[in-house]
């Protein structure tokens, strides 16, 4: 299970004990019918790969397949991430929709129930914001999900595991959820992501705090990578 799947599984499926404004419509529900290639956001050339390590000892490798895949009625650039211990392969789908970069999240690991999320914006500027809304049913209960993304910084540098990345964009996401029968969203923590132009995702920190029910801080950062020319 890769970090994105892990994030949503932990952040949202764990909230069944939390009974927490009106349901908003996120930017992920207002997308155009078809996606464009995602290569400016993340290289798609076959043979390209990215190795990530977590603070919990997980090591995963994301590989570009160079193939497109139709999912949820849109065409996505198809990637695969492999857990180096279990050899479990997670399909991943990235796309560009208008000026938004999106991906599909497998919320329960079944590879059947996907949540479309906006993760970045073309020509991002500090202060740009967007939101993602959706719902999930767990143990017979339905929950509404809300993430609020904001561009915190652009054009920066970031050194990770001895490598320095440039033209870095930092995105902070506020994570919220509520039971459909309750009026207000409950804060569930944050997810901060760093993107380097021409490389892709270089680091993510999930700081999950669901009242007194569940707390966890999970960091995933780039160990090494290769971009095939």
């Amino acid at each position: 299970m890769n970090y994105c799947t892990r994030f949503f599984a932990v952040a949202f499926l764990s909230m069944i004990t939390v009974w927490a404004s009106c349901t908003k419509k996120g930017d992920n529900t207002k997308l155009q019918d078809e996606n464009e290639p995602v290569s400016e956001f993340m290289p798609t050339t076959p043979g390209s790969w990215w190795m990530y390590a977590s603070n919990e000892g997980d090591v995963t490798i994301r590989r570009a397949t160079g193939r497109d895949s139709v999912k949820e009625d849109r065409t996505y650039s198809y990637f695969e991430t492999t857990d180096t211990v279990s050899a479990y392969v997670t399909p991943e789908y990235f796309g560009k929709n208008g000026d938004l970069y999106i991906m599909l999240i497998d919320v329960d690991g079944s590879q059947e129930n996907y949540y479309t999320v906006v993760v970045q914006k073309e020509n991002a500027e500090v202060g740009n914001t967007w939101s993602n809304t959706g719902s999930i049913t767990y143990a017979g209960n339905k929950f509404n999900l809300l993430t609020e993304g904001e561009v915190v910084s652009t054009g920066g540098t970031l050194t990770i595991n001895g490598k320095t990345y440039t033209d870095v964009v930092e995105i902070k996401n506020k994570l919220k959820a509520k039971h459909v029968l309750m009026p207000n969203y409950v804060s569930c923590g944050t997810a901060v992501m760093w993107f380097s132009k021409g490389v892709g995702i270089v680091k993510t920190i999930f700081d999950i705090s669901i009242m007194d029910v569940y707390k966890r801080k999970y960091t995933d950062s780039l160990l090494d990578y290769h971009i095939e020319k």
Side-chain angles (χ1 to χ4, degrees):
M1 181 180 291
N2 76 346
Y3 70 86
C4 287
T5 301
R6 186 190 307 275
F7 154 52
F8 277 92
V10 170
F12 295 131
L13 296 184
S14 297
M15 289 182 295
I16 60 172
T17 56
V18 181
W19 294 90
S21 119
C22 300
T23 302
K24 304 175 183 178
K25 292 294 185 181
D27 293 283
N28 62 328
T29 68
K30 307 169 187 175
L31 300 173
Q32 299 175 15
D33 291 339
E34 189 53 272
N35 292 329
E36 300 174 41
V38 75
S39 53
E40 291 184 5
F41 169 73
M42 179 182 296
T44 58
T45 310
S48 300
W49 55 265
W50 301 258
M51 179 182 288
Y52 297 89
S54 80
N55 61 327
E56 297 180 355
D58 304 305
V59 177
T60 58
I61 300 176
R62 171 179 289 131
R63 292 184 172 86
T65 68
R67 306 196 306 270
D68 291 336
S69 179
V70 177
K71 200 77 173 175
E72 304 290 302
D73 298 323
R74 292 188 180 92
T75 301
Y76 288 86
S77 298
Y78 178 67
F79 293 75
E80 291 182 339
T81 291
T82 303
D83 186 304
T84 59
V85 175
S86 67
Y88 182 83
V89 177
T90 301
E92 294 188 311
Y93 307 89
F94 294 89
K96 181 174 183 288
N97 194 285
D99 62 352
L100 301 175
Y101 291 105
I102 64 175
M103 67 179 296
L104 296 180
I105 300 296
D106 180 3
V107 293
D108 58 10
S110 67
Q111 299 181 19
E112 295 180 357
N113 300 316
Y114 285 93
Y115 178 35
T116 305
V117 295
V118 177
V119 294
Q120 241 281 39
K121 185 176 182 179
E122 185 178 33
N123 300 319
E125 298 180 354
V126 174
N128 287 160
T129 61
W130 57 82
S131 64
N132 297 295
T133 55
S135 62
I136 189 171
T137 300
Y138 185 80
N141 293 293
K142 188 174 181 179
F143 297 86
N144 289 333
L145 314 177
L146 170 65
T147 66
E148 297 172 329
E150 180 178 3
V151 179
V152 175
S153 65
T154 63
T157 60
L158 187 65
T159 299
I160 307 172
N161 298 313
K163 294 180 181 294
T164 299
Y165 300 93
T166 60
D167 203 359
V168 173
V169 176
E170 179 183 352
I171 307 293
K172 183 175 182 179
N173 298 278
K174 296 179 181 179
L175 316 176
K176 302 179 181 181
K178 74 181 187 72
H179 191 276
V180 293
L181 298 180
M182 305 306 288
N184 299 316
Y185 281 95
V186 170
S187 174
C188 301
T190 60
V192 184
M193 307 179 74
W194 288 263
F195 301 85
S196 177
K197 187 174 182 179
V199 178
I201 303 168
V202 296
K203 185 176 181 178
T204 308
I205 297 178
F206 303 120
D207 193 354
I208 309 302
S209 180
I210 307 171
M211 301 179 70
D212 293 325
V213 177
Y214 187 92
K215 294 182 183 296
R216 184 184 183 188
K217 191 169 185 176
Y218 182 86
T219 301
D220 201 295
S221 56
L222 196 58
L223 272 180
D224 199 4
Y225 71 98
H226 169 74
I227 306 300
E228 191 73 15
K229 302 300 183 181

